[in-house]
Amino acid sequence: MLPVVLSAVAAASLFSTAQALSPSTKDVGNGVHIPGAIPANLNEPLQHRLAFAGPTGMTVSWSTFNQLSNPQVFYGTDPSNLDQQASSSESTTYPTSRTYNNHVKLTGLKPGTKYYYKVSYTNAPAAAYRPTYSFTTARAPGDTTPYSIAIFGDLGLMGDDGLSTRTGPIGGDNYTVIPDGAMNTIQSLLAAKDSYDFIYHTGDIAYNDYFLKESIQGYFGLAANDTQPTRGEVAEQYESLGEQFYDQMQPITAERPWLVTPGNHEANCDNGGVKDKAAHITYDSTYCMPGQTNFTGYNAHFRMPSYESGGLGNMWYSFDNGLVHYVSLTCETDLGDGLKGPIEDVNGPFGAPNQQINWLKNDLANVDRTKTPWVVVGLHRPWYTSVSPPSWPAWQQAFEKIFYDNHVDFYHQGHVHTYEFFSPMFNGSVDPRGLNNPRAPMIAVGGSAGHYDGLDQFDQTPLYNGTLTAIDTEYGWGRLTFHNRTHLTYQFIASRNGSVIDEHTLYKEHNFRKIQGQHPYTPPSNSQGGNNNAQKRSILHF
Ligand SMILES: *[C@@H]1O[C@H](CO)[C@@H](O)[C@H](O)[C@H]1NC(C)=O
Ligand SMILES: *[C@@H]1O[C@H](CO)[C@@H](O)[C@H](O)[C@H]1NC(C)=O
Ligand SMILES: *[C@@H]1O[C@H](CO)[C@@H](O)[C@H](O)[C@H]1NC(C)=O
Ligand SMILES: *[C@@H]1O[C@H](CO)[C@@H](O)[C@H](O)[C@H]1NC(C)=O
Ligand SMILES: *[C@@H]1O[C@H](CO)[C@@H](O)[C@H](O)[C@H]1NC(C)=O
Ligand SMILES: *[C@@H]1O[C@H](CO)[C@@H](O)[C@H](O)[C@H]1NC(C)=O
Ligand SMILES: *[C@@H]1O[C@H](CO)[C@@H](O)[C@H](O)[C@H]1NC(C)=O
Ligand SMILES: [Fe+2]
């Protein structure tokens, strides 16, 4: 969450002399790709990423070190006969990136259906070991089949250049050592891949921006006064750390859609401000080259379903899957009503004034809750937390009342690197009905997936009013299961062994009265396209 300033010498003493992966490391071409290394074949498809594009579409994204003139996807419902294909001309990069982001949207698919696919150059020399992957499209709204998703915030690079094997905080003395043989969160998500349909990652992805901080803190074993990387080195390593992370995620994200919301770490190379005490230097985002700021890499890597929902790029959008309507927002910029986003001085805005807020109100007002009784919101920053709770921050002022007014059932946040689960509450007041048909939304702050900095620690005694469970000693992630129209269960999974260590079931009556034909959805005039479900939606009253 917050940048923590440490004595470089004290931090350095914690670590053995690891060496950051050299950005010039190359695969030898034996069919084994080292995460973060340059492939032997520069067309080799790496870092597959999937995103729903409505219930009848899927965007397939991947990265290559060469630009592709015609990225292609071969697909079909029979793994041995990929009889359909789609292509695009979208193979784009950005300043300082070494890779190109290829995006191909498949349309006209059947909802809730498993497809197999391969992308361009999957059979090229040195890449031919890449398997045929599969994905399953979103269920049509109104499909009441139960299903689960994985949900968490704040997941970064694991391994030598990322997460240490301690729970942290880094530099502190309150930690537990994760034993050899235990799983980190990426391993845990992979092991449990068959237990969820997609990943909902509510901001802070990869933590590319940690190279500068890691260097200053001696993570790579360098002497404190030898650790002032140039802007060029920071830019190169920013990309290298990101490549490693996306490579690490590939076994999961090639087969499970990865829906993301923006977090602050997508917007700079300096961890939002990092101080080298030994050298008396404070770094800020002016040290970051173009390409490392303003969500550039984030917006290049992902293609969220904003076209389908009248949203804006990867910044805000919504989608349906079966019983649920999901809404993704940004807390970082574009809060409307003259409110300033926490990093808006040097990033954004992405839309016109009030565009996100107007879109949100319109989107929520037009959910057909006879089809999708559940409404879940993903956003990055919390307003209730037992770690240095902010006092009614701008993002709370922007969003909380809209969630309440529109009967949002559950919202998930991260940013603070702990796990905390709240009884339904609004405006600081705990809903007296608890989890039994509350009027207020239920809340999880799940920012303990893991990254270099380790975990934060609760500093409120007693804990924030409304807290049902608070864990600051375990890396973990959430599994949210929609059983039917009235019951959902949130489980917190300890990454180290995959055990469920916390569980809450919410009951909502969801007794909606539908009024036909009011407030038909009109997409904002500057959006890229309309909402496929627009005509089918109508307003509901409680
Ligand atoms: C360690 O954690 C305990 C309990 O949470 C706290 O009282 C103490 O201040 C922490 N110590 C440090 C050095 O952070
Ligand atoms: C760098 O720091 C080491 C101790 O960390 C010290 O011995 C050395 O003199 C320093 N070098 C310079 C050039 O400041
Ligand atoms: C950030 O990017 C958006 C979208 O391209 C642009 O409108 C905005 O001006 C940029 N902000 C800054 C500070 O560069
Ligand atoms: C929130 O609570 C405060 C008192 O704590 C009250 O003044 C305010 O009107 C409440 N706001 C809403 C939207 O209910
Ligand atoms: C905590 O919330 C409960 C229920 O709303 C309320 O009765 C109690 O007074 C609150 N406690 C504090 C310390 O605010
Ligand atoms: C909904 O699911 C819950 C939890 O599995 C179950 O207890 C309840 O009976 C189900 N309701 C209906 C109407 O099937
Ligand atoms: C899994 O890890 C959690 C968290 O450390 C622990 O509480 C639990 O006992 C472990 N379960 C098993 C089966 O080892
Ligand atoms: Fe964050």
Side-chain angles (χ1 to χ4, degrees), residues 392 396 400-401 404-405 426-429:
W392 306 127
Q396 179 270 340
E400 192 187 19
K401 188 163 187 307
Y404 182 79
D405 288 347
F426 170 62
N427 196 30
S429 295

Side-chain angles (χ1 to χ4, degrees), residues 12 67 90 111 172 202 245 249 253 321 336 346 393-394 443 460 503 512:
Q67 185 165 32
E90 202 180 3
T202 63
F245 174 77
M249 291 294 281
T253 59
N321 190 340
V346 288
I443 308 152
Q460 303 299 298
E503 182 169 313
F512 305 109

